[in-house]
Amino acid sequence: MDVISENRCFGGVQGVYSHASDVTGCKMTFGAFLPAEAADGPVPVIWYLSGLTCTHANAMEKAGAQGWAAEQGVALIFPDTSPRGPGVADDEAYDLGQGAGFYVNATEAPWASHFRMWDYVADELPALVGRELAIDLERQAITGHSMGGHGALTLAMAHPGRFASVSAFAPIANPVASDWGRKQLGAYLGADEAAWGRHDASVQMLERGFDGPVLIDQGGSDQFLDLLRPEALSQAMAARRQEGVFRMQKGYDHSYFFVSSFMEDHVNFHAEALWA
């Protein structure tokens, strides 16, 4: 693991690191905030998965999470959203290819050789930070924005017992029924739609739910509401009688102004579960 930068931040350290990934077959970069308590031993961690077009840096620099994490004594990990590099497949569209990994393991050409973000976020990166940083992998929570909210919810539901809590900001909630999903799942996973359901938060909420508390915030003036389909997830949570809260936030859009406005709530929500 190579150190790109480390900066003092709210009494802790905000670092950016890179490493050669066996899973994606290229160099990957991620951000990690460690609070002051990490100097004395491993601390709980909140994973933050970012959305379309983002790198590790967007949430790290714009979400305003570090101050709240420092207050709660928890770490933050900001993975990238896809493999990158000159040898990695890409597309001219912003919503496919580099910057748009959708947190799945691609099975179709030309994506399959590098686009394995499910295994990267679920297995390889946790193992790395557990070895190299003062992170307690027995106490994990996960959140994300947009495409990252989709990833956070599906990963959490697929790994019972791993995450104490899950939250999302404006998640792509029903990708099997949305142009933000059908295009990408078809490209990465192929035409057999039976393989898509495990990567749909609304489908998974109905089928299995989550074994802990859920918090969803959605902007009421989000310009992408029809693509996100939040009503599908809200209805699935109600039908499942899922422990959780779904909040429509009047007047808020899809931007990091929205995310940063409710970040304190999400960090505190996860900290309560992590320290329980």
Side-chain angles (χ1 to χ4, degrees), residues 141-216:
I142 191 167
T143 188
H145 174 224
S146 193
M147 180 184 74
H150 139 80
L153 289 163
T154 53
L155 282 158
M157 286 186 278
H159 295 88
R162 178 178 298 192
F163 300 102
S165 50
V166 61
S167 73
F169 301 87
I172 299 175
N174 190 203
V176 301
S178 168
D179 288 342
W180 268 3
R182 295 189 62 82
K183 171 184 177 179
Q184 294 84 356
L185 296 176
Y188 294 142
L189 303 178
D192 182 5
E193 296 186 18
W196 299 3
R198 70 188 295 253
H199 296 291
D200 186 298
S202 297
V203 171
Q204 291 303 301
M205 182 60 69
L206 279 172
E207 289 186 0
R208 65 174 70 195
F210 177 65
D211 56 347
V214 177
L215 173 61
I216 309 293

Side-chain angles (χ1 to χ4, degrees), residues 32-116:
F33 170 74
L34 295 177
E37 289 84 350
D40 299 320
V43 295
V45 61
I46 301 172
W47 295 84
Y48 185 105
L49 306 186
S50 288
L52 288 167
T53 76
C54 291
T55 70
H56 69 282
N58 294 71
M60 186 181 78
E61 296 172 355
K62 296 179 180 181
Q66 291 90 340
W68 308 119
E71 284 194 7
Q72 296 290 351
V74 300
L76 301 164
I77 302 292
F78 304 97
D80 202 347
T81 56
S82 77
R84 298 179 189 272
V88 176
D90 201 7
D91 191 89
E92 292 182 358
Y94 76 95
D95 58 355
L96 187 68
Q98 296 187 36
F102 251 75
Y103 304 101
V104 303
N105 287 337
T107 58
E108 304 299 302
W111 314 107
S113 57
H114 295 287
F115 281 73
R116 302 187 61 80

Side-chain angles (χ1 to χ4, degrees), residues 1-6 13 15-19 28-30 32 133:
M1 192 176 82
D2 298 321
V3 177
I4 296 176
S5 64
E6 289 183 331
V13 176
V16 178
Y17 309 96
S18 68
H19 68 106
M28 299 293 291
T29 301
F30 67 95
L133 302 174

